[in-house]
């Protein structure tokens, strides 16, 4: 594949092509051109009719392992084994351009960038359609005759650079990726792939191109970055989390960024069952606990699935209960009408007020929520969170900790400083882990523990292991002891048989949903809501749960 990335990033200036133009010659001319409609109808690319635009020539030192399309016919990923390093690599292939196509692309990019101004009517239209019309108008004016494949290649790169994410556009669209990491100038990007885990790419940026991309990412996140303020944490428009440093003052190898991608749709409990994170018995436990207002804390290391699990079990919240979520970066997604989703905010200017998680949590206490969801506790807001638990609010949150003992120690220490007698208001701690199964890394719940109060003789917290993970058989085992279950049965007035029947019924519903492939978060949440409103109707249709929606 020849110079695969059209100058390794956004198209360079025109001077070196011999086609440089002066503003007096062109600016007014192209401004008028862009205001009129294209003469030639815009033909859209279709893979089935036009075939591929990509010619993926894998170097001899690589052996292909896998390949898949990100955009069918236009961006191809090849997972290949580098025979020299014996490491798998992520090779991205995009349409290759001839010298003429490359120079035409440069000119189109410059002319569009200089004078692309939209009318009030056009702002309301599809940006992609508008851009294609403008491109066609310019090509009509230039006068060259282009075959369809050349035109589609130009469309791809111009849409990628103006509307998409430039050189990383295909990575942002690749649903198999969790993290995109750039470590500095002229260093290959590294990815965290859902199947192939940590993997190196064939993409690297020169310093000026990387700085330009960093500034663009910051601007599209609504943030400002400069040498004076070279570090930002932000959320990209589609929801991914961005951490960015500019220049070499903080990161000596050059500008760096990490993009943590999140699925457009969150994991549902059924998907976590399929992935082996939880089993139906553990999810039925969470279902009953949440319905009966028990507070939860998900702990674990980085990328252990804490937030995904928190979001998934939050779908068990009753349909009309009032929910307030509080986060630094928006990650929680619920199919719930009575929900206030709040996020922190930095100070807008010198002397302005930042809105912290502590501020949001104090405000939430005045909103009379039944459930408070906090993305992660890491500071003084922990005291307010546990005060909320002690005053009867049901709270869910996450925290970085490797074990129950480590979590309790961290809660009691600086800067959280939660008194031990307040911690006993927490009902359940779920310990999440990213572990190896053979050569594959998987997310599993390590144990689910109940806080059973304080031992009066020692002053230590008493805990009860309800579920324990068996790594040999890869199963989550119920110990048969649950204070939460006993408390729910007592308050609901259920006999032992009635309680066991209720747990069994919920397990059957979860297993039926998995068997019938009902797993998207909207359908799953709707079924839980339907069960809360009319359990008999759901049970009557358990053989075909989709009838509940009809």
């Amino acid at each position: 594949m020849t110079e695969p990335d059209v100058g390794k990033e956004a198209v360079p200036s025109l001077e070196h092509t011999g086609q440089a133009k002066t503003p007096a010659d062109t600016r007014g001319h192209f401004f008028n051109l862009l205001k009129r409609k294209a003469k030639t109808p815009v033909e859209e690319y279709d893979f089935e009719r036009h075939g591929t635009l990509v010619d993926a020539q894998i170097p001899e030192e690589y052996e292909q392992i896998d390949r898949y399309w990100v955009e069918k016919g236009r961006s191809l990923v090849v997972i290949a084994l580098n025979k020299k390093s014996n490491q798998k690599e992520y090779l991205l292939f995009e349409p290759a351009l001839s010298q003429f196509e490359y120079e035409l692309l440069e000119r189109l990019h410059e002319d569009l960038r200089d004078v692309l101004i939209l009318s009030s009517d056009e702002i309301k239209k599809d940006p992609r359609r508008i851009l294609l019309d403008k491109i066609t108008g310019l090509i009509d004016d230039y006068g060259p005759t282009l075959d369809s494949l050349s035109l589609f290649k130009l469309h791809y790169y111009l849409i990628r650079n103006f509307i998409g994410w430039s050189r990383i556009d295909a990575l942002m669209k690749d649903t198999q990726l969790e993290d995109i990491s750039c470590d500095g100038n002229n260093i290959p990007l590294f990815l965290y792939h859902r199947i192939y885990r940590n993997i190196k790419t064939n993409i690297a940026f020169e310093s000026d191109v990387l700085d330009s991309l960093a500034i663009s990412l910051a601007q599209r996140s609504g943030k400002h970055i400069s040498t004076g303020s070279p570090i930002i944490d932000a959320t990209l428009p589609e929801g991914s989390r961005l951490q960015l440093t500019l220049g070499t003052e903080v990161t000596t190898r050059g500008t760096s960024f990490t993009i943590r991608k999140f699925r457009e749709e969150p994991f549902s409990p059924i998907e976590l069952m399929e992935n082996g994170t939880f089993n139906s018995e553990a999810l039925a436990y969470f279902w009953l606990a949440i319905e009966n207002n028990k507070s939860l804390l998900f702990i674990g290391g980085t990328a252990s699935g804490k937030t995904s699990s928190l979001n998934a079990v939050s779908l068990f919240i009753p349909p009309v209960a009032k929910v307030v979520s509080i986060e630094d970066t928006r990650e929680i997604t619920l199919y719930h009408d009575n929900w206030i989703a709040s996020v922190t905010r930095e100070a807008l200017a010198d002397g302005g007020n930042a809105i912290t998680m502590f501020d949001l949590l104090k405000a939430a206490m005045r909103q009379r929520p039944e459930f408070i969801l906090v993305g992660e506790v890491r500071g003084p807001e922990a005291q307010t969170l546990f005060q909320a638990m002690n005053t009867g609010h049901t709270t869910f949150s996450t925290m970085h900790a490797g074990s129950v003992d480590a979590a309790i120690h961290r809660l009691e220490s600086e800067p959280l400083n939660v008194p031990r007698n307040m911690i006993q208001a927490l009902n359940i701690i779920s310990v999440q882990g990213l572990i190896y199964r053979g050569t594959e890394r998987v997310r599993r719940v390590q144990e689910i523990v109940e806080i059973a109060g304080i031992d009066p003789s020692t002053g230590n917290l008493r805990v009860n292991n309800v579920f324990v993970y068996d790594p040999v058989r890869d199963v989550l085992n119920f110990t048969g002891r649950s204070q939460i279950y006993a408390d729910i049965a007592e308050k609901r007035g259920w006999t032992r048989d009635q309680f066991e029947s209720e747990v069994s019924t919920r397990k059957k519903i979860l297993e039926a949903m998995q068997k019938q492939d009902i797993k998207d978060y909207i359908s799953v949440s709707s079924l839980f809501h339907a069960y809360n409103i009319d359990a008999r109707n759901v049970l009557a249709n358990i053989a075909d749960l989709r009838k509940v929606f009809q």
Side-chain angles (χ1 to χ4, degrees), residues 269-377:
I270 309 307
E271 287 178 295
L272 294 185
M273 276 177 63
E274 287 189 339
N275 295 340
T277 304
F278 296 100
N279 58 19
S280 60
E281 198 165 18
L283 289 173
Y285 172 80
F286 280 120
W287 190 351
L288 272 166
I290 290 168
E291 194 177 275
N292 289 275
N293 298 99
K294 304 302 179 183
S295 293
L296 317 175
L297 182 66
F298 290 87
I299 67 172
T302 300
S304 59
K306 301 184 296 296
T307 304
S308 295
S309 296
L310 169 67
N311 202 118
V313 302
S314 296
L315 301 184
F316 292 125
I317 292 174
V320 293
K322 183 167 185 178
V323 181
V324 176
S325 64
I326 299 166
E327 301 173 90
D328 277 332
T329 304
R330 175 73 184 277
E331 296 178 53
I332 294 171
T333 302
L334 303 178
Y335 186 63
H336 197 91
D337 291 331
N338 195 9
W339 167 40
I340 297 173
S342 56
V343 293
T344 60
R345 191 200 72 186
E346 295 178 1
L348 296 179
D350 292 341
N353 292 326
I355 308 297
T356 66
M357 293 186 75
F358 183 69
D359 296 326
L360 293 174
L361 195 51
K362 286 196 299 182
M365 297 287 285
R366 302 186 185 101
Q367 294 164 352
R368 201 180 179 187
E370 293 175 64
F371 293 86
I372 301 175
L373 279 54
V374 179
E376 182 181 351
V377 288

Side-chain angles (χ1 to χ4, degrees), residues 332-479:
I332 294 171
T333 302
L334 303 178
Y335 186 63
H336 197 91
D337 291 331
N338 195 9
W339 167 40
I340 297 173
S342 56
V343 293
T344 60
R345 191 200 72 186
E346 295 178 1
L348 296 179
D350 292 341
N353 292 326
I355 308 297
T356 66
M357 293 186 75
F358 183 69
D359 296 326
L360 293 174
L361 195 51
K362 286 196 299 182
M365 297 287 285
R366 302 186 185 101
Q367 294 164 352
R368 201 180 179 187
E370 293 175 64
F371 293 86
I372 301 175
L373 279 54
V374 179
E376 182 181 351
V377 288
R378 60 171 75 90
E381 70 277 356
Q383 291 187 32
T384 306
L385 182 71
F386 277 85
Q387 285 175 352
M389 287 186 202
N390 280 270
T391 54
H393 296 85
T394 305
T395 65
F396 308 159
S397 189
T398 70
M399 188 172 73
H400 280 84
S403 66
V404 174
D405 288 341
I408 293 171
H409 178 72
R410 190 175 171 209
L411 285 169
E412 292 182 325
S413 305
E414 291 282 353
L416 280 67
N417 295 321
V418 180
R420 181 165 296 186
N421 64 340
M422 291 178 66
I423 295 176
Q424 64 179 330
L426 175 64
N427 302 114
I428 301 167
I429 298 177
S430 179
V431 184
Q432 312 289 124
L434 181 62
I435 65 170
Y436 278 99
R437 291 286 303 163
T439 58
E440 185 182 6
R441 295 186 79 185
V442 296
R443 293 177 174 91
R444 295 288 187 268
V445 61
Q446 300 295 289
E447 57 180 343
I448 299 174
V449 176
E450 296 174 350
I451 303 295
I454 295 178
D455 188 326
S457 60
T458 63
N460 294 328
L461 284 169
R462 292 187 290 113
V463 297
N464 174 42
N465 289 62
V466 187
F467 290 89
V468 178
Y469 176 67
D470 179 354
V472 176
R473 296 187 297 134
D474 190 30
V475 293
L476 188 64
N477 294 317
F478 178 51
T479 63

